[in-house]
Amino acid sequence: MSSFISFLINGISLGSVYAIIALGYTMVYGIAKMLNFAHGDVIMVGGYVVFLATSILGLPAWAAILMAVVVCTLLGITIERIAYKPLRGASSLSVLITAIGVSYFLQNAALILFGADTKSFNSVVNLPSLKLMDGAITISDETLVTIVVCILVMVLLTAFINKTKTGQAMLAVSADRGAATLMGINVNKTIAVTFAIGSGLAAIAGVLLCSSYPVLSSTTGSMPGIKAFTAAVFGGIGSIPGAMIGGLLLGIIENLSKAYISSQLSDPIVFGILIIVLLFKPSGLMGKQIQEKV
């Protein structure tokens, strides 16, 4: 029983990272109606910023994390301005190809700058572990912080969307971009803010991911990015609560599959369950079916 609870908690921790990444995917899709496949590589950039800030500059953990958030936020705004804004009226295929190109650009830039060797990432979390059931279950400090940060991010993001003027503008652009423009909302600025928030969240996810799995390379964000996109689709892409639920479920399923079935079959099981869910609910667990206007 104790081992099952440990696997479950670790799955929730992994799912929390997926959920934070998925929030960036779902926000960009819900508002800009595009899939930013370079989002996973922003995670990698955040990890490298913290690595350089702590190992070379000698900055404390909080300053390194803040630097990563700032750098990734500016990177997200730059990517949106240079790569995506000129394609605002282009076809979805053109935007998708551009997103893939940006992803490969970031990966190869990291490869040139930092080399192909894998870096050892020192965890920025330094708290005592939590012991439960008379020490039968030990929850690491990284796991605790990851779960708490995920809940905090979800609460703050929901409050921002529902309570602020910028958040309301995001909802308006998501519902009808043309009508939002007629109401005086600056659509380009709103989309840029969306990319900034999503990229800032990617930096936080990168720090949490590398703290729990302390290796760093140019492809660190690739598979977590794909799985987080899967989580966003699983929960209902465009839905913020759906992104969180999808991420948590994905992490739990993956971790329990590794523990009780096979570590090699965990990914096929995750994607197989996604296919089954989408067969019965194409819009995802919490997504809304949108009728196309003709």
Side-chain angles (χ1 to χ4, degrees), residues 132-146:
L132 303 174
M133 299 175 63
D134 296 327
I137 298 174
T138 301
I139 304 175
S140 67
D141 50 351
E142 291 91 357
T143 297
L144 286 171
V145 169
T146 299

Side-chain angles (χ1 to χ4, degrees), residues 17 29 38 52-53 74-75 83-84 96 102 121 150 182 205-206 211 255 281:
V17 175
Y29 180 82
L52 293 175
L74 294 175
L75 177 63
Y84 299 139
L96 179 61
V102 172
F121 190 94
C150 178
L182 293 175
S211 294
N255 218 50
K281 204 170 190 311

Side-chain angles (χ1 to χ4, degrees), residues 11 23 31 43 72 96 110 112 115 130 183-184 199 222 254 273:
L23 285 171
I31 294 166
I43 300 168
C72 288
L96 179 61
I112 293 170
L130 178 65
M183 293 169 61
S199 299
S222 298
E254 180 179 339
I273 292 175

Side-chain angles (χ1 to χ4, degrees), residues 14-24 150 228 231 240 243-248:
L14 178 60
S16 296
V17 175
Y18 289 155
I20 295 173
I21 305 171
L23 285 171
C150 178
I240 290 177
M244 182 171 184
I245 292 174
L248 292 175

Side-chain angles (χ1 to χ4, degrees), residues 99-113:
I100 295 172
V102 172
S103 173
Y104 279 112
F105 172 81
L106 292 176
Q107 287 184 25
N108 283 277
L111 194 63
I112 293 170
L113 291 173

Side-chain angles (χ1 to χ4, degrees), residues 34-199:
M34 62 161 290
L35 297 174
N36 179 23
F37 279 113
H39 189 65
D41 299 290
V42 179
I43 300 168
M44 172 267 297
V45 173
Y48 270 114
V49 171
V50 172
F51 173 78
L52 293 175
T54 53
S55 63
I56 295 179
L57 300 180
L59 295 179
W62 67 267
I65 295 171
L66 181 60
M67 180 183 291
V69 171
V70 171
V71 169
C72 288
T73 299
L74 294 175
L75 177 63
I77 295 173
T78 303
I79 290 172
E80 192 278 330
R81 179 65 60 87
I82 295 176
Y84 299 139
K85 186 178 178 182
L87 300 176
R88 195 79 82 221
S91 66
S92 300
L93 182 60
S94 299
V95 178
L96 179 61
I97 293 172
T98 301
I100 295 172
V102 172
S103 173
Y104 279 112
F105 172 81
L106 292 176
Q107 287 184 25
N108 283 277
L111 194 63
I112 293 170
L113 291 173
F114 304 109
D117 57 314
T118 301
K119 306 291 189 297
S120 295
F121 190 94
N122 295 322
S123 175
V124 296
V125 181
N126 188 18
L127 297 172
S129 301
L130 178 65
K131 295 185 181 297
L132 303 174
M133 299 175 63
D134 296 327
I137 298 174
T138 301
I139 304 175
S140 67
D141 50 351
E142 291 91 357
T143 297
L144 286 171
V145 169
T146 299
I147 294 173
V148 170
V149 169
C150 178
I151 296 172
L152 188 62
V153 165
M154 180 67 186
V155 171
L156 292 177
L157 187 59
T158 302
F160 175 79
I161 294 293
N162 294 326
K163 302 295 183 181
T164 66
K165 186 176 180 180
T166 303
Q168 293 298 304
M170 289 178 176
L171 291 176
V173 172
S174 175
D176 192 320
R177 191 180 299 181
T181 303
L182 293 175
M183 293 169 61
I185 295 174
N186 189 330
V187 173
N188 288 329
K189 179 182 176 181
T190 302
I191 293 176
V193 170
T194 304
F195 269 84
I197 295 173
S199 299

